[in-house]
Amino acid sequence: MTERSDDTLARLAATVASRRGADPDTSYVARLFHKGEDAILKKIGEEATETVMAAKDGDAGRIVSETADLWFHCLVMLAQYNLGPGDVLAELVRREGTSGIDEKALRKQRD
C-alpha cells in the first residue's frame, strides 16, 4: 500500500512547525525561523532556481531532488505564515475542474 502524499506533507509540516522554537544551533529549520521571513523567502528563490536549472538539464533525479528541496522550503514558508499544506491542497481542490484560463480570468476579476 502506498502512502498518500498529503499524509507525508502533513507529517513534514508538523515536524517543521515543531522546530519553530528549537535551538537554531541544532536545527536547520529553527535557524531559518530564527533568521526570519527574508531568509526563508530567499531559500525558496534559491531552491526554485535550482529546480528550474535541473529541469533545463533534463536530469530526472536532480529534478526530483530539487523539487523536494523546494517543497520542503515552501512548507517552512507556510509555517511562517501559520498555514500548512492543507490550505494549499484545499485551494487545488477548489480549482480542480476549472480551466487554467478561466481560473486566471476569475483571479483578475477578484483583484
Side-chain angles (χ1 to χ4, degrees):
M1 178 178 187
T2 60
E3 183 174 8
R4 290 180 33 166
S5 59
D6 54 336
D7 293 341
T8 301
L9 289 172
R11 209 172 43 257
L12 285 170
T15 299
V16 165
S18 76
R19 304 281 163 78
R20 183 173 240 151
D23 181 355
D25 292 330
T26 61
S27 167
Y28 171 73
V29 172
R31 189 175 311 142
L32 281 175
F33 282 129
H34 181 74
K35 288 181 178 179
E37 174 185 60
D38 286 346
I40 293 167
L41 298 177
K42 180 179 177 186
K43 275 307 288 182
I44 289 177
E46 291 171 9
E47 298 301 342
T49 299
E50 291 172 5
T51 302
V52 169
M53 290 168 55
K56 290 288 281 178
D57 290 343
D59 182 333
R62 276 193 52 233
I63 293 168
V64 169
S65 178
E66 295 298 346
T67 300
D69 290 347
L70 176 59
W71 286 14
F72 177 81
H73 287 89
C74 285
L75 290 174
V76 175
M77 177 198 61
L78 288 169
Q80 174 72 15
Y81 297 104
N82 297 312
L83 299 166
D87 297 298
V88 177
L89 292 170
E91 177 62 11
L92 290 172
V93 167
R94 185 190 69 75
R95 293 180 186 186
E96 190 173 12
T98 303
S99 116
I101 294 169
D102 292 342
E103 172 60 27
K104 189 171 182 176
L106 287 171
R107 278 187 270 148
K108 283 184 179 181
Q109 288 175 0
R110 287 191 302 251
D111 292 340

